[in-house]
Amino acid sequence: MDPGGYFIVRGTEKVILMQEQASKNRIFTFKNDKEIVSEVTCISAERKSRLLLTTNKRNQVWIVLSIVLFFFSHIFFSNIQIVVKHNVFPKDGISVFVLFKAMCGLSDRDITGLILRNLEPEEEKEYFKLLLPSIEHHVELEINSEASALQYIGTKITLSKDSNKPAMALAYEVIYNSILTHIPVVNDCFYPKAMFLAFMVRRLLMAHMDPD
């Protein structure tokens, strides 16, 4: 075989070509030209989909917030909101805490606990600061339950063939069939998907804390 992968087999010229294929069902967090993103290409026996986490900048405001979860108050400046992007969602994406609520109806405290579990106290405080704008956003939208989150997401999905379905039913079906498709849903429970999403959020926060 000559250098470059060229060779001859039974009088026929052959060449070896390199084929690049995306890794399946693994989280990749990286910085592109504009922003830090965390993404996963989900492949199951029936479907393939791609989920992307990124950040939108909100109006810059000073936030004064007391959270029972940590029993202390923070005064700080933050304008990063984490959003989920998928081809069934609007171009600007869906707030990640809204998707968490739609998946399992957990409280903000429980969702935050999934994301920040096993961190050292000082690290936990810094990571929590980055999460606050996302929590604040879904509070502003008055989304405080699984039903209200499903209703909100359902109104944002534009699938012409399902346009006559109720918004909640449409959102539930999309989460079941299109979001993190490599994770099976057992007994209509989305909690394993929520845990995977929490790990993606954590990876994104880690990249924001240490971009290098």
PDB file of all heavy atoms in Angstrom, residues 82-106:
ATOM      1  N   ILE A  82     -30.241  29.997  30.821  1.00  0.00           N
ATOM      2  CA  ILE A  82     -29.985  28.743  30.094  1.00  0.00           C
ATOM      3  C   ILE A  82     -31.235  28.325  29.341  1.00  0.00           C
ATOM      4  O   ILE A  82     -32.330  28.274  29.913  1.00  0.00           O
ATOM      5  CB  ILE A  82     -29.550  27.631  31.055  1.00  0.00           C
ATOM      6  CG1 ILE A  82     -28.292  28.052  31.821  1.00  0.00           C
ATOM      7  CG2 ILE A  82     -29.287  26.331  30.295  1.00  0.00           C
ATOM      8  CD1 ILE A  82     -27.911  27.108  32.931  1.00  0.00           C
ATOM      9  N   VAL A  83     -31.075  28.022  28.051  1.00  0.00           N
ATOM     10  CA  VAL A  83     -32.203  27.621  27.224  1.00  0.00           C
ATOM     11  C   VAL A  83     -31.898  26.298  26.521  1.00  0.00           C
ATOM     12  O   VAL A  83     -30.741  25.945  26.294  1.00  0.00           O
ATOM     13  CB  VAL A  83     -32.556  28.694  26.170  1.00  0.00           C
ATOM     14  CG1 VAL A  83     -33.031  29.975  26.832  1.00  0.00           C
ATOM     15  CG2 VAL A  83     -31.373  28.981  25.253  1.00  0.00           C
ATOM     16  N   VAL A  84     -32.973  25.582  26.202  1.00  0.00           N
ATOM     17  CA  VAL A  84     -32.882  24.308  25.484  1.00  0.00           C
ATOM     18  C   VAL A  84     -33.297  24.544  24.038  1.00  0.00           C
ATOM     19  O   VAL A  84     -34.360  25.109  23.783  1.00  0.00           O
ATOM     20  CB  VAL A  84     -33.810  23.255  26.112  1.00  0.00           C
ATOM     21  CG1 VAL A  84     -33.649  21.916  25.409  1.00  0.00           C
ATOM     22  CG2 VAL A  84     -33.542  23.117  27.602  1.00  0.00           C
ATOM     23  N   LYS A  85     -32.480  24.082  23.104  1.00  0.00           N
ATOM     24  CA  LYS A  85     -32.814  24.233  21.687  1.00  0.00           C
ATOM     25  C   LYS A  85     -32.977  22.860  21.049  1.00  0.00           C
ATOM     26  O   LYS A  85     -32.188  21.943  21.291  1.00  0.00           O
ATOM     27  CB  LYS A  85     -31.742  25.049  20.962  1.00  0.00           C
ATOM     28  CG  LYS A  85     -31.699  26.501  21.430  1.00  0.00           C
ATOM     29  CD  LYS A  85     -30.816  27.367  20.560  1.00  0.00           C
ATOM     30  CE  LYS A  85     -30.884  28.814  20.986  1.00  0.00           C
ATOM     31  NZ  LYS A  85     -30.053  29.700  20.124  1.00  0.00           N
ATOM     32  N   HIS A  86     -34.035  22.760  20.252  1.00  0.00           N
ATOM     33  CA  HIS A  86     -34.382  21.509  19.567  1.00  0.00           C
ATOM     34  C   HIS A  86     -35.198  21.904  18.354  1.00  0.00           C
ATOM     35  O   HIS A  86     -35.831  22.965  18.328  1.00  0.00           O
ATOM     36  CB  HIS A  86     -35.198  20.626  20.515  1.00  0.00           C
ATOM     37  CG  HIS A  86     -35.391  19.223  20.036  1.00  0.00           C
ATOM     38  ND1 HIS A  86     -36.335  18.884  19.090  1.00  0.00           N
ATOM     39  CD2 HIS A  86     -34.773  18.056  20.376  1.00  0.00           C
ATOM     40  CE1 HIS A  86     -36.296  17.583  18.874  1.00  0.00           C
ATOM     41  NE2 HIS A  86     -35.363  17.053  19.624  1.00  0.00           N
ATOM     42  N   ASN A  87     -35.213  21.063  17.339  1.00  0.00           N
ATOM     43  CA  ASN A  87     -35.909  21.463  16.113  1.00  0.00           C
ATOM     44  C   ASN A  87     -37.423  21.581  16.269  1.00  0.00           C
ATOM     45  O   ASN A  87     -38.092  22.128  15.390  1.00  0.00           O
ATOM     46  CB  ASN A  87     -35.573  20.513  14.961  1.00  0.00           C
ATOM     47  CG  ASN A  87     -35.960  19.075  15.239  1.00  0.00           C
ATOM     48  OD1 ASN A  87     -36.575  18.772  16.267  1.00  0.00           O
ATOM     49  ND2 ASN A  87     -35.609  18.188  14.332  1.00  0.00           N
ATOM     50  N   VAL A  88     -37.994  21.093  17.375  1.00  0.00           N
ATOM     51  CA  VAL A  88     -39.431  21.257  17.590  1.00  0.00           C
ATOM     52  C   VAL A  88     -39.747  22.517  18.393  1.00  0.00           C
ATOM     53  O   VAL A  88     -40.911  22.878  18.548  1.00  0.00           O
ATOM     54  CB  VAL A  88     -40.046  20.034  18.309  1.00  0.00           C
ATOM     55  CG1 VAL A  88     -39.875  18.783  17.491  1.00  0.00           C
ATOM     56  CG2 VAL A  88     -39.452  19.860  19.708  1.00  0.00           C
ATOM     57  N   PHE A  89     -38.706  23.178  18.916  1.00  0.00           N
ATOM     58  CA  PHE A  89     -38.896  24.381  19.724  1.00  0.00           C
ATOM     59  C   PHE A  89     -38.675  25.630  18.878  1.00  0.00           C
ATOM     60  O   PHE A  89     -38.082  25.563  17.796  1.00  0.00           O
ATOM     61  CB  PHE A  89     -37.924  24.389  20.909  1.00  0.00           C
ATOM     62  CG  PHE A  89     -38.199  23.335  21.952  1.00  0.00           C
ATOM     63  CD1 PHE A  89     -37.196  22.888  22.793  1.00  0.00           C
ATOM     64  CD2 PHE A  89     -39.466  22.791  22.092  1.00  0.00           C
ATOM     65  CE1 PHE A  89     -37.442  21.921  23.747  1.00  0.00           C
ATOM     66  CE2 PHE A  89     -39.731  21.816  23.054  1.00  0.00           C
ATOM     67  CZ  PHE A  89     -38.710  21.381  23.884  1.00  0.00           C
ATOM     68  N   PRO A  90     -39.121  26.781  19.358  1.00  0.00           N
ATOM     69  CA  PRO A  90     -38.851  28.031  18.643  1.00  0.00           C
ATOM     70  C   PRO A  90     -37.355  28.288  18.509  1.00  0.00           C
ATOM     71  O   PRO A  90     -36.535  27.694  19.236  1.00  0.00           O
ATOM     72  CB  PRO A  90     -39.508  29.103  19.527  1.00  0.00           C
ATOM     73  CG  PRO A  90     -40.481  28.375  20.372  1.00  0.00           C
ATOM     74  CD  PRO A  90     -39.931  26.996  20.573  1.00  0.00           C
ATOM     75  N   LYS A  91     -36.986  29.180  17.634  1.00  0.00           N
ATOM     76  CA  LYS A  91     -35.572  29.460  17.358  1.00  0.00           C
ATOM     77  C   LYS A  91     -34.819  29.877  18.616  1.00  0.00           C
ATOM     78  O   LYS A  91     -33.653  29.505  18.813  1.00  0.00           O
ATOM     79  CB  LYS A  91     -35.466  30.556  16.293  1.00  0.00           C
ATOM     80  CG  LYS A  91     -34.041  30.862  15.870  1.00  0.00           C
ATOM     81  CD  LYS A  91     -34.012  31.908  14.775  1.00  0.00           C
ATOM     82  CE  LYS A  91     -32.574  32.227  14.364  1.00  0.00           C
ATOM     83  NZ  LYS A  91     -32.531  33.261  13.286  1.00  0.00           N
ATOM     84  N   ASP A  92     -35.480  30.648  19.480  1.00  0.00           N
ATOM     85  CA  ASP A  92     -34.824  31.127  20.702  1.00  0.00           C
ATOM     86  C   ASP A  92     -34.767  30.070  21.792  1.00  0.00           C
ATOM     87  O   ASP A  92     -34.152  30.292  22.838  1.00  0.00           O
ATOM     88  CB  ASP A  92     -35.544  32.370  21.239  1.00  0.00           C
ATOM     89  CG  ASP A  92     -35.385  33.561  20.304  1.00  0.00           C
ATOM     90  OD1 ASP A  92     -34.402  33.570  19.545  1.00  0.00           O
ATOM     91  OD2 ASP A  92     -36.233  34.463  20.343  1.00  0.00           O
ATOM     92  N   GLY A  93     -35.428  28.938  21.596  1.00  0.00           N
ATOM     93  CA  GLY A  93     -35.389  27.862  22.565  1.00  0.00           C
ATOM     94  C   GLY A  93     -36.418  28.005  23.676  1.00  0.00           C
ATOM     95  O   GLY A  93     -37.238  28.927  23.689  1.00  0.00           O
ATOM     96  N   ILE A  94     -36.349  27.083  24.631  1.00  0.00           N
ATOM     97  CA  ILE A  94     -37.235  27.039  25.791  1.00  0.00           C
ATOM     98  C   ILE A  94     -36.372  27.114  27.052  1.00  0.00           C
ATOM     99  O   ILE A  94     -35.331  26.469  27.132  1.00  0.00           O
ATOM    100  CB  ILE A  94     -38.057  25.723  25.819  1.00  0.00           C
ATOM    101  CG1 ILE A  94     -39.000  25.662  24.619  1.00  0.00           C
ATOM    102  CG2 ILE A  94     -38.835  25.580  27.112  1.00  0.00           C
ATOM    103  CD1 ILE A  94     -40.158  26.621  24.670  1.00  0.00           C
ATOM    104  N   SER A  95     -36.797  27.889  28.026  1.00  0.00           N
ATOM    105  CA  SER A  95     -36.063  27.974  29.281  1.00  0.00           C
ATOM    106  C   SER A  95     -35.897  26.578  29.886  1.00  0.00           C
ATOM    107  O   SER A  95     -36.849  25.799  29.950  1.00  0.00           O
ATOM    108  CB  SER A  95     -36.805  28.879  30.269  1.00  0.00           C
ATOM    109  OG  SER A  95     -36.169  28.854  31.533  1.00  0.00           O
ATOM    110  N   VAL A  96     -34.696  26.271  30.340  1.00  0.00           N
ATOM    111  CA  VAL A  96     -34.414  24.916  30.813  1.00  0.00           C
ATOM    112  C   VAL A  96     -35.251  24.547  32.032  1.00  0.00           C
ATOM    113  O   VAL A  96     -35.678  23.400  32.185  1.00  0.00           O
ATOM    114  CB  VAL A  96     -32.900  24.745  31.109  1.00  0.00           C
ATOM    115  CG1 VAL A  96     -32.482  25.534  32.332  1.00  0.00           C
ATOM    116  CG2 VAL A  96     -32.546  23.275  31.276  1.00  0.00           C
ATOM    117  N   PHE A  97     -35.559  25.518  32.894  1.00  0.00           N
ATOM    118  CA  PHE A  97     -36.363  25.200  34.074  1.00  0.00           C
ATOM    119  C   PHE A  97     -37.812  24.912  33.694  1.00  0.00           C
ATOM    120  O   PHE A  97     -38.492  24.152  34.381  1.00  0.00           O
ATOM    121  CB  PHE A  97     -36.276  26.328  35.105  1.00  0.00           C
ATOM    122  CG  PHE A  97     -35.195  26.113  36.127  1.00  0.00           C
ATOM    123  CD1 PHE A  97     -33.872  26.338  35.800  1.00  0.00           C
ATOM    124  CD2 PHE A  97     -35.487  25.657  37.398  1.00  0.00           C
ATOM    125  CE1 PHE A  97     -32.856  26.133  36.725  1.00  0.00           C
ATOM    126  CE2 PHE A  97     -34.496  25.442  38.335  1.00  0.00           C
ATOM    127  CZ  PHE A  97     -33.172  25.679  37.997  1.00  0.00           C
ATOM    128  N   VAL A  98     -38.287  25.492  32.609  1.00  0.00           N
ATOM    129  CA  VAL A  98     -39.628  25.168  32.120  1.00  0.00           C
ATOM    130  C   VAL A  98     -39.665  23.710  31.673  1.00  0.00           C
ATOM    131  O   VAL A  98     -40.618  22.975  31.968  1.00  0.00           O
ATOM    132  CB  VAL A  98     -40.042  26.105  30.974  1.00  0.00           C
ATOM    133  CG1 VAL A  98     -41.379  25.673  30.370  1.00  0.00           C
ATOM    134  CG2 VAL A  98     -40.138  27.548  31.467  1.00  0.00           C
ATOM    135  N   LEU A  99     -38.628  23.257  30.972  1.00  0.00           N
ATOM    136  CA  LEU A  99     -38.576  21.860  30.532  1.00  0.00           C
ATOM    137  C   LEU A  99     -38.470  20.916  31.731  1.00  0.00           C
ATOM    138  O   LEU A  99     -39.109  19.861  31.754  1.00  0.00           O
ATOM    139  CB  LEU A  99     -37.406  21.651  29.576  1.00  0.00           C
ATOM    140  CG  LEU A  99     -37.284  20.255  28.959  1.00  0.00           C
ATOM    141  CD1 LEU A  99     -38.567  19.856  28.228  1.00  0.00           C
ATOM    142  CD2 LEU A  99     -36.090  20.179  28.008  1.00  0.00           C
ATOM    143  N   PHE A 100     -37.679  21.296  32.715  1.00  0.00           N
ATOM    144  CA  PHE A 100     -37.608  20.490  33.937  1.00  0.00           C
ATOM    145  C   PHE A 100     -38.989  20.334  34.564  1.00  0.00           C
ATOM    146  O   PHE A 100     -39.392  19.232  34.962  1.00  0.00           O
ATOM    147  CB  PHE A 100     -36.665  21.132  34.955  1.00  0.00           C
ATOM    148  CG  PHE A 100     -35.223  20.756  34.812  1.00  0.00           C
ATOM    149  CD1 PHE A 100     -34.257  21.727  34.602  1.00  0.00           C
ATOM    150  CD2 PHE A 100     -34.816  19.431  34.892  1.00  0.00           C
ATOM    151  CE1 PHE A 100     -32.916  21.390  34.481  1.00  0.00           C
ATOM    152  CE2 PHE A 100     -33.477  19.081  34.770  1.00  0.00           C
ATOM    153  CZ  PHE A 100     -32.525  20.068  34.563  1.00  0.00           C
ATOM    154  N   LYS A 101     -39.710  21.441  34.678  1.00  0.00           N
ATOM    155  CA  LYS A 101     -41.049  21.399  35.279  1.00  0.00           C
ATOM    156  C   LYS A 101     -41.968  20.485  34.475  1.00  0.00           C
ATOM    157  O   LYS A 101     -42.753  19.719  35.043  1.00  0.00           O
ATOM    158  CB  LYS A 101     -41.637  22.807  35.327  1.00  0.00           C
ATOM    159  CG  LYS A 101     -40.983  23.753  36.315  1.00  0.00           C
ATOM    160  CD  LYS A 101     -41.455  23.481  37.730  1.00  0.00           C
ATOM    161  CE  LYS A 101     -40.914  24.516  38.691  1.00  0.00           C
ATOM    162  NZ  LYS A 101     -41.335  24.250  40.085  1.00  0.00           N
ATOM    163  N   ALA A 102     -41.886  20.569  33.150  1.00  0.00           N
ATOM    164  CA  ALA A 102     -42.754  19.755  32.303  1.00  0.00           C
ATOM    165  C   ALA A 102     -42.413  18.276  32.413  1.00  0.00           C
ATOM    166  O   ALA A 102     -43.285  17.413  32.274  1.00  0.00           O
ATOM    167  CB  ALA A 102     -42.638  20.214  30.848  1.00  0.00           C
ATOM    168  N   MET A 103     -41.159  17.968  32.678  1.00  0.00           N
ATOM    169  CA  MET A 103     -40.744  16.561  32.748  1.00  0.00           C
ATOM    170  C   MET A 103     -41.207  15.880  34.030  1.00  0.00           C
ATOM    171  O   MET A 103     -41.612  14.719  34.006  1.00  0.00           O
ATOM    172  CB  MET A 103     -39.216  16.465  32.650  1.00  0.00           C
ATOM    173  CG  MET A 103     -38.668  16.615  31.242  1.00  0.00           C
ATOM    174  SD  MET A 103     -36.866  16.434  31.229  1.00  0.00           S
ATOM    175  CE  MET A 103     -36.541  16.339  29.471  1.00  0.00           C
ATOM    176  N   CYS A 104     -41.091  16.589  35.145  1.00  0.00           N
ATOM    177  CA  CYS A 104     -41.345  15.883  36.401  1.00  0.00           C
ATOM    178  C   CYS A 104     -42.022  16.724  37.472  1.00  0.00           C
ATOM    179  O   CYS A 104     -42.308  16.211  38.559  1.00  0.00           O
ATOM    180  CB  CYS A 104     -40.044  15.295  36.952  1.00  0.00           C
ATOM    181  SG  CYS A 104     -38.687  16.479  37.016  1.00  0.00           S
ATOM    182  N   GLY A 105     -42.295  18.003  37.199  1.00  0.00           N
ATOM    183  CA  GLY A 105     -43.022  18.822  38.160  1.00  0.00           C
ATOM    184  C   GLY A 105     -42.297  19.050  39.465  1.00  0.00           C
ATOM    185  O   GLY A 105     -42.921  19.393  40.479  1.00  0.00           O
ATOM    186  N   LEU A 106     -40.973  18.895  39.487  1.00  0.00           N
ATOM    187  CA  LEU A 106     -40.215  19.091  40.715  1.00  0.00           C
ATOM    188  C   LEU A 106     -40.186  20.561  41.114  1.00  0.00           C
ATOM    189  O   LEU A 106     -40.352  21.452  40.288  1.00  0.00           O
ATOM    190  CB  LEU A 106     -38.776  18.601  40.537  1.00  0.00           C
ATOM    191  CG  LEU A 106     -38.562  17.100  40.338  1.00  0.00           C
ATOM    192  CD1 LEU A 106     -37.084  16.813  40.079  1.00  0.00           C
ATOM    193  CD2 LEU A 106     -39.052  16.313  41.544  1.00  0.00           C
TER     194      LEU A 106
END
